[in-house]
Each structure stands twice: as structure tokens, then as C-alpha cells.
Amino acid sequence: MLEIIKPILAQACELKPDLPILVGVSGGPDSLCLLDLLHRVGYPLVVGHFNHKLRPEADDEARMVAELAASLRLPFVSEADDIRGCAEAESLTIEAAARLLRYRFLFAQARQYQAQAVAVGHTADDQVETVLMHLIRGAGLVGLKGMGYRGFLPEFDEAIPLVRPLLDVWRQETLDYCTTHGLKPNFDSSNDSLDFLRNRLRHQLIPSLEAYNPRFRQALWRTAYSLAGDYAILSEVLDSDWAECVRREGGGFVAFRAAVLSEFSPAVQRNLFRRALHQVRPGLADLNFKALERATSFLSDTQVLQVDLIEGTRLFREADQIYLAAWEADLPLGGWPQFPAESDSMAIALPGELELPNGWRLSARRLEIADLEWEQILQNADPFQAWLDVDDSDESLSVRPRRWGDRFQPLGMKGHAIKLSDFFVNVKLPRRARAKWPLVCVGETIAWVPGYRLAHPYRLTKTVRGVVYLSLKHAPT
Amino acid sequence: MLEIIKPILAQACELKPDLPILVGVSGGPDSLCLLDLLHRVGYPLVVGHFNHKLRPEADDEARMVAELAASLRLPFVSEADDIRGCAEAESLTIEAAARLLRYRFLFAQARQYQAQAVAVGHTADDQVETVLMHLIRGAGLVGLKGMGYRGFLPEFDEAIPLVRPLLDVWRQETLDYCTTHGLKPNFDSSNDSLDFLRNRLRHQLIPSLEAYNPRFRQALWRTAYSLAGDYAILSEVLDSDWAECVRREGGGFVAFRAAVLSEFSPAVQRNLFRRALHQVRPGLADLNFKALERATSFLSDTQVLQVDLIEGTRLFREADQIYLAAWEADLPLGGWPQFPAESDSMAIALPGELELPNGWRLSARRLEIADLEWEQILQNADPFQAWLDVDDSDESLSVRPRRWGDRFQPLGMKGHAIKLSDFFVNVKLPRRARAKWPLVCVGETIAWVPGYRLAHPYRLTKTVRGVVYLSLKHAPT
């Protein structure tokens, strides 16, 4: 078994030969086999034993593991904790509390000893039981791929991996190994009592499945192994696609770059929507074809502005983005200039500056007509700056949000004003941003809609009387 | 149910409103529900019934379906065939023979009526049973994703799809639908007797799994649905990666472009190797981490020329390719010039041409020294043409394969000859190609190794006595 396990240790578990490993040793056949193998390969080891104190023989077993460590001249660390108390305090099952305290202890010791990894003795049987458990409860690829040879449990440690070198060794093989090498394992009945579901799977369900296929365990192990490979690729692809097309994500929403998302294949789109839906509605159970199909159809039909998906989520377009959002989501307005909620109107001094929410700042000043750089003004490509024909004799300048009945005469549209609400629709200003969009007025007349258009009467002409330069800039703090 | 099913018909099944559909109708609740729904949506339909003749009531049932079709004014086609006879003749189970004859009939009729699809009434329960069956027998993503809304059965028809619009409708819902709409389904007991495994799953295993999770069927359905999405992406990625890095594939081997393969991530490499292994060894069961890890390690360690994988397969390097091959594979030599197996040596006439195997042709002629284009000769970049200093007084020219003890003095290496075998190693001539590599000789001396090097004594110098021009060209017929 030593020769079989070596490449798994070096490659799948990525263990370096000369850095310590914290081995979790319960004293059962799996962990004794693991300890013995790691010791024979020559890794520097620390033996960690967590005493669950749930059975009368627990202290004897802890002592046996301690003696074994001593006989191998390995450091031994041990801890006992009140599992029943923890389970009650944290509303956990006994098994969940035991797992929590055990891993907390093992990783704390691993940090203490600067171990490169925590190693545990999960076997191929554990893998099969885990996958079956996920399958029965309902799982996607993530669950069905089972445990990995090497992985992280960030809730215990972000940097030290958990390795499982025995994942393709069957429980019976660890028993045989112990017999061959004179190891005397404990036979811990608490696994069964601790974990009733796993126990029933092991002793009832798996044997009944073996009635359908005598090599069911092997078959399910291979399925998990094969799915793990698929998952690795899929994660790469989807992580990269997600990064490419998600512009921002936050409480209850994901904002996609519409143009990027539309270029992906429907299969990728469905997966990205699925991921976004699970992010927006973490417990989402009833995701099905119809919801995802509504989402992908929405992408191709650009006339539709909004569509309901499932469980109070919706998709809608906004400028060059597509939002997948929960109805209650607090969608970001930070990207847009908005008028402060508490004010009706703010006067603009000349020269002067006004702070608007979210890091926007309006600055205004008079320019001398003689100094005007007409070239620059004619070529201006920034819709957030403007030159207005405003004389001293004009009414004073102010900024305010829209009001009922506002009208506006866009530059180039001679002779008549249109409803401001129609103008907003025409320029596709996102609906959510309209109510508080800052409007620069001369007296009561809208003279400039920043980001969009100057009012026709305030454009510069050869008969210009006076010039005010306005600029709205975003510089988030 | 009509409103729920419409988008599935149009989008998932890709059914056009005005082209006929051949509906397979057994007369059971699923197929009656399907027929009624398709009819209400307004598709032009043809009702197809295959009479399995396995039960006494079969003829009555066929008549009922015929009457239903008549009442809906739909064309009705029907066939009965000897399933037991077919099963015996083709060594199939009764269920497999029934499936074979049924689909053969349905697709034949679909062609007859120029139908856009064959529609069948598989339900969500059928999906769950199918996935569970695959799971028990051992399956990867392909099996666990279950049946699709639309797919092809190329063994029956390459162009007409099979659609399954009821895949997310539960059997109970089709029963309820029949009750609501006054449809009188047959309750066919033969499903059970035909398909013993499915029967046991339905009546024994699934209920026992529902003891672990009352919503087990729903959970497994969702798993399959989710995996189908994953599979769609994975296929896209791997098909494209495969096409990019596989140079050729054939009886028992796959040849990868080494440079392209090495650029992929290990997860993709493992999946491509897995696919190649399954192609080379179709029944391969015991593929595991160790074999795939040997394969990916081989890629990164370019010093290793060959590695055994599993079940008599190996990986080896050859020029810019990496072969994954079965030991018994008949690897292609077509790309290389080779000496014919039946000959010892072939004389070269001046002028003259020699046919070699696989479309290679050696041509030779004398050139006048006065006509030599020295510029061209000095700049020659084609290793398959050469100019030799060979006088009329020299021994005659021939081509032959290598012989034991051959020595060769490569151009530029003055004064001594080296072993031809060492030369072959130095220039990395693929091992398999060495034994029959054509060598041009003057008398017994190797004067040119086509594709590699001229012999030093035969190079053109200012004191050239006579010139022979040789060219080896590949023009496969």
C-alpha cells in the first residue's frame, strides 16, 4: 500500500517531504493505517487526538493513541471538550458539534506546530457514504463530486489544507493493513451512534443498493471521482466567465455586462443565471427549466425590459447592464449623480462648488468670452461638462430634481419643449435614477441635464452674452 | 398545465408550430396527457401506436387509441411485431427488444409523414428512475444528467429528434390531467413485467429512499437538471479543447499536439486523457487518480519518453506529438518516408524515380556543374532535397534501410563517422521510424539521410567532380 499511497501524498495531497503534518488519530483502523503510512514514508508528524468523551472507553482510547505516538517518538497533542454542552449551546446535532470541536482543535494545533496540513483518515467508504448522503438530500456537481484529496475548510483555517490520503483505500483494506502491521485499532461504536444517518446508509441502504449492483460502492466511488474532474474544469470556465461578465454584485443583486453575457452560449448563460439566482436566493430549491429559459430568452429579446424569474427575483435592463435582483434588493445608485434626498433645490454660486451624494461634485464658474476656446467647446465629448450662455441679468442658477410637469427643450430641437419624462425615456436614463437626477436650472427653466443635453436656448452662439462653465465630476471618497 | 408546457414545447423541444409531430401513444396516462396537450396547443399530429402484443388486452388498447385518434380527426398509424421473437433472435431482453421495435416503428412513420419530431410521454418519474438506474450501474455526468427535452437517437434516425415535453411533469399530474379532461387511460401492467429493474426501483428502492428524504424524487430530478446544464458547458469546452489538441485518432490510439496539450490546465488535461483512455479502451472501468496523475506528470517531465498508464495503455512522445495508445495499436507511419518491407535495397537510376510506401517518391538526376545555382543550394531549407558530389567513376547509387553496425559521417563533422543509431537518437528521429528509414548510399557508404543530413564526403565543394540532385517528396494518392 505504501507504493500506491506515495504519489497520492506527493501529488494529489501536495505534501512536502520535510514539513510537519498534523495527523488526526482517533485510534480506529483508518487513522492508525494513515499514521503508520505517513510515518513510514518519513514525514515529520504530530499526532492529534480529540477525546469526544461520549463513551466510557474514551479515556482508555486516548491513552492508547498517546502510547502509540510515544512508541513512534512523535509529539502527541490531545484535547477533550464538552460536546453535549456545545451541541446544546449552538443548537447543533451531537455529530455536528463533535466535528466542529474536533476540527477546531486539530487546526489550532496545526497552526501551533506550523504544520503544512491536517491529515485525516477518510476512506473510500466514507467517500461513498458522503456522496450518497448528498445525493439523497439533493445536490449538484459540488456535492456529488464528494470529498477531495486536498481542500480547505476556511471556517477553521484559510491557509492550512485538510488532506485525505486514504480516499481511494477501502475500510476493509485499512483493517487488513492494521492486521498485517500489528496495529491494534479501537473499534469505536460512537461513529454509529453519533451519526445515525451515516450509520443507516452504511448498514441498510448501501447493502440494499448492492442487491442491485454488487459493485455499487465501487461504481459510486468512480462516479464521484469522474465528477470531481468535471467540476474542476467547470469551475475554471464559469469562474472566468463570471469574472468577465459580472460588473458588480451585492445585497440581493448581480449586475451583468449585457454585451459580454449575450456572447456566451445558452448553456453558459443558464449556468451563470443559476449561480446568480443561488447567490440572490441562497436557499433556492425549485429552480427549473422554465425560470432559466425565461432568463435566457430575455437576453435575446432586447425589447423586453424586465421579466420575473422565480421566488421574487427578476431580470431587468439598465443602460449596458442586466440586473438579476431580488425585489427587495438595495440596488446601487452610486454610479449615478443624484440629488440629495433631503433638499428641494440648491443655489449655484459663481464661482462655486456643490457636493452631491456618492462622491459627485458640481463646479461652476464664469468664463471671459474673449478667452473661450471654441475649438475645445465644439469638440467636447464629455456630457458631464457644459458651457451655457448665461448673462448677469439672467435669473440665478440652481440645481434641483425633477418636478411634476417639467418640460425641456433639448439642444437642436428648435421652437418647442418636450416633457422631461419623455426625454428621460428617449435617452434611456435608467428608471431608478430619474426621480433624483440633478437638473441645472436658470430660474425655473431647465438649462442643462448633466450627462445628456444642454437646453437649446442656453447654447453658445455668436451673439453670446456671458458664459458659465459647468462640470459634474465623480470622485468617490 | 397548458401554459406551463408551452414554453417547453417551443424552446426546450424546439417544436415549430406548423410542422407535423409523430406522437407515440401507448394509451397510458402519460401519453394520453401528452397527446391532449399537443392537440390543444394546435400542432399537426400523427398518432403512432406500437402494439407490443405481450398481453391479452393489447388489441383492445390499440383499438382504443385508434378510436381516440379518430375522435380528434388525427391520422393513426399502428404496428404489431413479434417482440419475443426479436428478443431471441437478437439476444436482447424483452424490454430492449420492445424498445428497439417501438422506436424503429415510430421513426419510420415520422419519416413517412415528414414529421419534425417524435414525441414521447416520459415524465419526471421516468427521469428519476432512469437517473437512479444509471447511478446504480455506475455513471458519469453523461448518465446522471438523465434524458433531455430534445435529443437524437442516431441508431433510429440521424435527423429527426426525439422530444420529451413532459420531463418535468410527475406521473401523478398526468393522471390528474386525464381525470380532469375526461381521458380514459389504459393502465398497462406490462411496464412492470417488461422492465423488472425499473419496476423494483419504482416500487421498492425509491420508496425506501423517500424514507431518508420524503422529497427524494424531487431532489434527484433537480440534480439531473442541474447536471444537464453542467454537461452542456463541459461538452462545449472539452469538444473544443479536444479538437484543438488532437492531431489524429485511430484504432487504439490518440495523438495529441504536445505543445497545445501542455498549455491546458491539469483538470482539462485529465479530462482529455480520460476521454482518450475511454476511446482506446471502451470498457475501461478502473480509471483512477493514479493513472491520470501519471499521465499529467508525464506531460510536465519532458525527460521521460514513455509511461505505462492502465490496462495495457501507454503514453509516449514522438516528435511534437504525444501518443496515448494501446500496446496492440497499429500506429500510423503514413507521415514518414519508409523503405518497403519486402526489399533489401533498391538501385537509383540517373535520371530515375523510385516509389516508396505511403505516397513517397524519390527522384534523382544528374546536373551540369556549369548550370548549378549555388545561391539556391546554399540557401536550401528543405531537408528532403540534396545535391551530392558523385562522379561517374563512383560506385552506383541505391536506397536501403539501416543495417547492423551502420556508420555515418554527418555534414560538418570532419574526419570521423559516428554510429547511425547514435545519429538517429541525436536528431530525435522517432524510434518507430528508424528501422525502415530510407538511406541513400553510394556503394555501401551512407551518403544522405533524407530529412536530416548529407554525409560530409559527398558535400559540394569547389573541386566538385559531378553533381547528383536527389529529392524525396510526399504526395499521398
Side-chain angles (χ1 to χ4, degrees):
Chain A
M1 191 178 303
L2 201 58
E3 290 314 308
I4 293 175
I5 212 79
K6 272 184 184 173
I8 291 187
L9 294 170
Q11 286 141 22
C13 301
E14 297 177 35
L15 294 174
K16 309 274 174 300
D18 45 0
L19 296 174
I21 300 168
L22 195 297
V23 196
V25 180
S26 70
D30 304 346
S31 61
L32 286 199
C33 173
L34 174 66
L35 176 63
D36 193 78
L37 283 167
L38 289 173
H39 184 63
R40 280 171 199 267
V41 176
Y43 290 98
L45 303 176
V46 178
V47 176
H49 177 79
F50 188 79
N51 184 342
H52 292 85
K53 287 254 181 205
L54 291 167
R55 295 168 303 126
E57 61 273 32
D59 291 341
D60 285 347
E61 290 172 7
R63 198 159 43 245
M64 280 178 54
V65 177
E67 284 165 11
L68 177 62
S71 78
L72 296 171
R73 299 173 193 274
L74 297 176
F76 174 78
V77 290
S78 167
E79 189 174 271
D81 209 333
D82 178 12
I83 290 174
R84 289 189 213 281
C86 168
E88 275 175 37
E90 312 234 354
S91 304
L92 295 172
T93 59
I94 290 286
E95 64 189 282
R99 177 180 184 276
L100 174 70
L101 295 177
R102 190 169 64 239
Y103 278 126
R104 195 180 280 166
F105 160 70
L106 291 174
F107 279 97
Q109 292 298 331
R111 282 188 291 273
Q112 190 72 27
Y113 280 89
Q114 300 189 301
Q116 62 173 318
V118 170
V120 291
H122 290 134
T123 61
D125 291 273
D126 292 314
Q127 178 75 301
V128 166
E129 289 155 15
T130 300
V131 171
L132 198 54
M133 203 136 52
H134 287 152
L135 188 87
I136 290 171
R137 287 172 176 164
L141 205 47
V142 184
L144 297 187
K145 73 176 171 43
M147 304 178 280
Y149 293 102
R150 176 188 165 97
F152 288 88
L153 302 177
E155 65 270 39
F156 299 109
D157 198 286
E158 301 261 349
I160 301 176
L162 181 71
V163 299
R164 302 179 179 96
L166 301 188
L167 267 192
D168 53 4
V169 175
W170 295 95
R171 197 168 285 140
Q172 183 60 48
E173 295 178 276
T174 68
L175 278 167
D176 296 346
Y177 183 92
C178 288
T179 308
T180 308
H181 293 82
L183 300 165
K184 305 256 174 300
N186 304 320
F187 289 92
D188 181 350
S189 60
S190 80
N191 270 339
D192 300 345
S193 65
L194 272 178
D195 191 340
F196 188 55
L197 175 57
R198 192 176 280 269
N199 184 21
R200 282 206 294 160
L201 292 186
R202 190 178 299 175
H203 299 301
Q204 293 169 14
L205 185 58
I206 291 179
S208 85
L209 286 160
E210 284 176 330
Y212 291 88
N213 174 6
R215 292 184 60 78
F216 170 75
R217 288 185 302 148
Q218 288 78 0
L220 193 59
W221 190 95
R222 280 201 302 276
T223 295
Y225 181 68
S226 157
L227 295 183
D230 296 335
Y231 176 78
I233 296 180
L234 206 70
S235 306
E236 276 175 19
V237 172
L238 289 180
D239 285 353
S240 127
D241 289 348
W242 180 269
E244 199 183 332
C245 77
V246 169
R247 181 125 181 267
R248 50 198 299 173
E249 39 194 312
F253 78 92
V254 174
F256 296 98
R257 291 171 219 275
V260 179
L261 185 59
S262 304
E263 285 300 306
F264 291 133
S265 72
V268 171
Q269 289 168 354
R270 273 194 284 270
N271 260 274
L272 293 173
F273 282 135
R274 191 170 69 178
R275 186 186 278 212
L277 276 167
H278 281 293
Q279 190 162 315
V280 167
R281 285 275 179 263
L284 188 69
D286 284 322
L287 184 54
N288 56 21
F289 174 80
K290 283 160 282 186
L292 289 179
E293 189 60 30
R294 276 198 297 280
T296 49
S297 305
F298 175 78
L299 277 187
S300 53
D301 187 355
T302 52
Q303 293 306 98
V304 181
L305 294 179
Q306 178 161 322
V307 66
D308 287 338
L309 291 181
I310 192 169
E311 286 196 23
T313 60
R314 61 194 167 122
L315 270 183
F316 62 92
R317 286 168 214 288
E318 204 169 84
D320 59 347
Q321 293 179 61
I322 287 178
Y323 279 78
L324 191 157
W327 278 108
E328 75 284 2
D330 187 16
L331 294 173
L333 283 162
W336 295 320
Q338 292 281 281
F339 198 79
E342 63 280 4
S343 318
D344 286 338
S345 170
M346 294 163 80
I348 300 176
L350 291 173
E353 291 209 332
L354 284 179
E355 295 284 345
L356 295 179
N358 298 318
W360 288 87
R361 176 190 297 259
L362 179 72
S363 54
R365 63 177 192 274
R366 286 210 161 275
L367 298 180
E368 292 300 320
I369 295 174
D371 297 345
L372 285 182
E373 297 186 14
W374 289 93
E375 192 92 349
Q376 184 198 348
I377 297 171
L378 288 168
Q379 289 174 9
N380 176 39
D382 177 5
F384 285 103
Q385 62 176 353
W387 290 261
L388 276 63
D389 182 350
V390 175
D391 192 9
D392 281 339
S393 66
D394 282 316
E395 292 178 88
S396 64
L397 287 167
S398 65
V399 195
R400 64 166 176 81
R402 73 171 174 190
R403 289 177 191 155
W404 176 251
D406 264 340
R407 298 182 75 84
F408 173 62
Q409 186 183 352
L411 181 66
M413 194 177 276
K414 286 170 199 162
H416 70 288
I418 60 172
K419 280 188 198 165
L420 180 68
S421 54
D422 289 342
F423 176 75
F424 279 166
V425 170
N426 291 345
V427 298
K428 299 196 174 66
L429 176 61
R431 185 182 301 269
R432 292 184 299 115
R434 292 177 195 170
K436 292 286 177 186
W437 195 264
L439 306 166
V440 171
C441 299
V442 175
E444 286 302 304
T445 314
I446 298 172
W448 182 39
V449 181
Y452 291 96
R453 206 79 72 84
L454 200 67
H456 196 74
Y458 296 94
R459 75 196 187 281
L460 298 199
T461 63
K462 287 194 175 158
T463 59
V464 59
R465 302 158 301 146
V467 177
V468 169
Y469 171 74
L470 290 161
S471 154
L472 187 59
K473 281 210 162 67
H474 190 227
T477 46
Chain B
M1 192 177 304
L2 201 58
E3 289 315 306
I4 293 173
I5 211 81
K6 272 184 183 173
I8 291 188
L9 294 170
Q11 286 142 21
C13 301
E14 299 177 32
L15 295 175
K16 309 276 175 298
D18 44 359
L19 296 174
I21 301 168
L22 194 299
V23 196
V25 180
S26 69
D30 304 346
S31 60
L32 286 199
C33 172
L34 174 66
L35 176 64
D36 194 79
L37 283 166
L38 289 173
H39 184 62
R40 281 171 199 266
V41 175
Y43 290 99
L45 302 177
V46 178
V47 176
H49 176 80
F50 187 79
N51 185 341
H52 291 85
K53 288 257 183 202
L54 291 168
R55 295 167 304 126
E57 61 273 32
D59 291 340
D60 286 347
E61 290 172 6
R63 200 159 42 245
M64 280 177 55
V65 176
E67 285 165 10
L68 177 63
S71 77
L72 296 171
R73 300 170 190 277
L74 297 176
F76 173 78
V77 291
S78 167
E79 191 173 272
D81 209 334
D82 178 12
I83 289 174
R84 288 190 215 281
C86 168
E88 273 174 40
E90 312 234 352
S91 303
L92 295 171
T93 60
I94 291 284
E95 64 187 284
R99 177 181 183 278
L100 175 70
L101 296 176
R102 189 170 62 238
Y103 278 126
R104 196 179 279 168
F105 160 70
L106 292 173
F107 279 96
Q109 293 299 330
R111 282 188 292 274
Q112 189 72 30
Y113 281 88
Q114 301 189 300
Q116 62 173 319
V118 170
V120 291
H122 291 134
T123 60
D125 291 273
D126 293 312
Q127 178 76 300
V128 166
E129 289 155 15
T130 299
V131 171
L132 198 54
M133 204 136 53
H134 287 153
L135 187 89
I136 290 171
R137 287 172 176 163
L141 205 47
V142 183
L144 297 187
K145 73 177 171 44
M147 303 177 280
Y149 293 102
R150 176 188 165 99
F152 289 89
L153 301 178
E155 66 270 39
F156 299 107
D157 198 286
E158 300 262 347
I160 301 177
L162 181 72
V163 299
R164 302 180 180 95
L166 301 187
L167 267 192
D168 54 2
V169 174
W170 296 95
R171 196 169 285 139
Q172 184 59 49
E173 296 178 275
T174 68
L175 279 167
D176 296 346
Y177 183 93
C178 289
T179 307
T180 308
H181 293 81
L183 301 165
K184 304 259 177 297
N186 304 319
F187 289 93
D188 180 350
S189 61
S190 80
N191 270 340
D192 301 347
S193 65
L194 273 178
D195 192 339
F196 189 55
L197 175 56
R198 194 177 277 268
N199 185 19
R200 281 206 294 160
L201 292 186
R202 190 179 299 175
H203 298 301
Q204 292 169 14
L205 185 59
I206 291 178
S208 85
L209 286 161
E210 285 176 328
Y212 291 88
N213 173 6
R215 293 183 60 79
F216 170 75
R217 289 184 302 147
Q218 287 78 359
L220 193 59
W221 190 94
R222 280 200 303 275
T223 294
Y225 180 68
S226 156
L227 295 184
D230 296 335
Y231 176 78
I233 296 182
L234 206 69
S235 305
E236 276 175 19
V237 172
L238 288 180
D239 285 352
S240 128
D241 290 348
W242 180 270
E244 198 183 333
C245 78
V246 169
R247 181 123 181 268
R248 52 198 299 173
E249 41 194 309
F253 77 93
V254 175
F256 296 97
R257 292 170 218 274
V260 179
L261 185 58
S262 304
E263 285 300 305
F264 290 134
S265 72
V268 171
Q269 289 169 355
R270 272 193 285 269
N271 260 274
L272 293 173
F273 282 135
R274 191 170 69 179
R275 186 187 277 212
L277 277 167
H278 281 293
Q279 190 161 315
V280 167
R281 286 273 178 267
L284 188 69
D286 284 322
L287 184 53
N288 56 20
F289 174 80
K290 283 161 280 186
L292 289 179
E293 188 60 31
R294 276 198 296 280
T296 50
S297 305
F298 175 78
L299 276 187
S300 53
D301 188 354
T302 52
Q303 294 305 99
V304 181
L305 295 179
Q306 178 161 324
V307 66
D308 287 337
L309 290 181
I310 191 168
E311 285 196 24
T313 60
R314 61 195 167 120
L315 270 183
F316 61 91
R317 284 169 214 289
E318 205 168 86
D320 59 348
Q321 293 179 60
I322 287 178
Y323 279 77
L324 191 156
W327 277 109
E328 76 284 3
D330 187 15
L331 294 172
L333 283 162
W336 294 320
Q338 293 281 285
F339 198 78
E342 64 279 6
S343 319
D344 285 339
S345 169
M346 296 162 80
I348 299 175
L350 291 172
E353 290 210 332
L354 285 179
E355 296 283 347
L356 296 178
N358 298 318
W360 287 88
R361 174 190 299 260
L362 180 71
S363 55
R365 63 178 192 272
R366 284 212 162 274
L367 299 180
E368 292 299 320
I369 294 176
D371 297 344
L372 285 182
E373 296 186 15
W374 289 95
E375 193 92 348
Q376 185 199 351
I377 297 172
L378 287 168
Q379 288 173 10
N380 176 39
D382 176 4
F384 285 102
Q385 63 176 350
W387 291 259
L388 277 63
D389 183 348
V390 175
D391 192 8
D392 282 339
S393 65
D394 282 316
E395 291 177 89
S396 65
L397 286 167
S398 65
V399 196
R400 62 166 177 83
R402 72 170 176 191
R403 291 178 189 153
W404 176 252
D406 264 340
R407 298 182 74 87
F408 174 61
Q409 187 183 351
L411 180 66
M413 196 178 275
K414 287 171 199 161
H416 68 287
I418 59 172
K419 281 189 197 164
L420 179 68
S421 55
D422 289 342
F423 176 76
F424 278 166
V425 170
N426 291 345
V427 299
K428 299 195 174 66
L429 176 61
R431 185 181 302 268
R432 291 184 298 115
R434 292 177 196 168
K436 291 287 176 186
W437 196 263
L439 305 166
V440 172
C441 298
V442 175
E444 286 303 304
T445 315
I446 298 172
W448 183 38
V449 181
Y452 292 97
R453 206 81 69 87
L454 199 68
H456 195 75
Y458 296 94
R459 74 194 188 284
L460 298 198
T461 61
K462 288 192 175 158
T463 59
V464 61
R465 302 160 298 145
V467 177
V468 170
Y469 172 73
L470 291 160
S471 155
L472 188 59
K473 282 210 162 66
H474 190 227
T477 48

